[in-house]
Amino acid sequence: MNAWNQQGGRPPYDPYQQPNQPYPPNQPYGPPPVPPFVPRVGLVRRVWRAVGPIAVGRKVFRPSRPGRVDDPVVARMQKIRTGVGLAAVVWVVVSYQLARSVGDFANDRVNQSWNNVLVLSVTFPVVVGVLIGVARPPARQELLRRAVKPFGSVVAIIAAVGVFPVFVLTGFADGRFATNPVTTAVTVLVMLLAVGWILPFVVYGIGLSLVHVFRTADIHETVPPLLALVLVWEMALLDLVTGAYEGAPVPVRIGLVLGAPLSVTAVALWELRRLRVGYGLTLRGALMR
């Protein structure tokens, strides 16, 4: 029996082992491994990542239900459709000079996005209310519970946007209440908060609200494409009533007004079929019908 076995399977001498301490199992001989370098994150950056407008926007407007099906192919198709639609609008605006400047075009796109959010915020409770109403009693309570967070995202975006008209109507933005150094400092701090936090939250929230359809996938995976179908045809009707893209030739206007609803309809129907075939998810199953 050699010295290795006499010491219970340990080498007779190890320069890296302290006396009277067992040798670590499965540890290679030699100096301990050096842990990888992890850069330190400052306090301000950690706070910003936790409570910044983008971080809070992700928590408020992105679906987060455990077990939810998140198909990357569907998300990629939606992004392609959005990019093609935006490129078509930019081409028409530039070709037929429908906007006097880039600022006017950007303002029109922002106004249209906000109009979409307003219409969606009105359509959302109606569609979800109808679905809950036609669902069987065992599913009705679960769907109602799941609708709390999507409804909260609607309230959040409306309340955040409502801050700015309140500032204007009350005269707060004009310094009406800044009558002494204390109230002046408070007014400046509140305005900085509105511009530095609420405004990015609103812009980011509008984008996520449209992409995730007010996080209605938390209710059921089939609700976002269904709600997008209703929304896009409502907006097409609104464009016809308001005379959108006035100044372009009639065939081009028809293509722009009907292009979005037709493309969204095609993507939504394809998404519903993919959910049914690939994952066994159907609206009838969500309603237990």
Side-chain angles (χ1 to χ4, degrees):
M1 182 179 295
N2 56 27
W4 184 292
N5 294 326
Q6 290 177 356
Q7 296 192 19
R10 295 193 301 270
Y13 172 72
D14 182 12
Y16 300 104
Q17 175 128 356
Q18 299 295 328
N20 301 325
Q21 291 186 0
Y23 195 83
N26 301 325
Q27 177 85 11
Y29 303 141
V34 179
F37 174 75
V38 178
R40 298 185 60 182
V41 180
L43 177 62
V44 175
R45 182 172 296 182
R46 290 200 302 269
V47 172
W48 185 255
R49 288 180 178 178
V51 299
I54 305 302
V56 175
R58 292 194 185 101
K59 296 177 183 177
V60 174
F61 301 109
R62 277 187 174 179
S64 60
R65 175 172 57 87
R68 174 182 57 87
V69 172
D70 189 8
D71 195 328
V73 177
V74 174
R76 192 179 306 117
M77 178 63 69
Q78 292 173 341
K79 291 179 181 178
I80 293 174
R81 178 191 53 78
T82 302
V84 171
L86 182 59
V89 172
V90 172
W91 176 78
V92 170
V93 170
V94 173
S95 299
Y96 297 97
Q97 298 181 354
L98 302 184
R100 289 174 295 182
S101 64
V102 177
D104 291 340
F105 172 75
N107 187 52
D108 291 341
R109 293 300 95 196
V110 171
N111 290 336
Q112 186 176 26
S113 298
W114 174 238
N115 290 335
N116 290 342
V117 170
L118 289 178
V119 174
L120 181 58
S121 64
V122 175
T123 306
F124 163 73
V126 175
V127 173
V128 174
V130 170
L131 293 178
I132 293 176
V134 300
R136 295 185 62 188
R140 192 173 299 163
Q141 186 175 2
E142 177 65 17
L143 292 176
L144 187 60
R145 183 186 65 82
R146 292 182 179 184
V148 172
K149 289 183 177 180
F151 182 75
S153 67
V154 177
V155 174
I157 193 65
I158 298 297
V161 173
V163 169
F164 297 98
V166 168
F167 281 176
V168 174
L169 294 175
T170 59
F172 188 89
D174 297 331
R176 177 180 178 182
F177 302 100
T179 57
N180 56 63
V182 175
T183 56
T184 300
V186 171
T187 301
V188 172
L189 289 176
V190 171
M191 293 304 299
L192 289 176
L193 176 65
V195 175
W197 199 97
I198 299 179
L199 185 59
F201 177 80
V202 167
V203 174
Y204 191 68
I206 289 176
L208 286 186
S209 296
L210 296 178
V211 170
H212 297 290
V213 199
F214 278 136
R215 64 183 297 176
T216 45
D218 279 346
I219 301 175
H220 194 262
E221 287 81 354
T222 58
V223 177
L226 177 65
L227 195 55
L229 276 173
V230 178
L231 170 66
V232 75
W233 285 105
E234 287 178 339
M235 295 306 302
L237 181 61
L238 185 62
D239 286 341
L240 288 175
V241 172
T242 58
Y245 310 110
E246 185 176 357
V250 175
V252 176
R253 291 180 62 185
I254 295 175
L256 288 175
V257 172
L258 296 181
L262 290 177
S263 63
V264 171
T265 299
V267 172
L269 294 177
W270 172 77
E271 182 178 354
L272 289 171
R273 183 181 183 278
R274 185 176 178 86
L275 290 172
R276 175 176 58 84
V277 175
Y279 305 98
L281 297 173
T282 63
L283 183 62
R284 178 174 292 184
L287 303 178
M288 297 186 67
R289 288 292 181 181

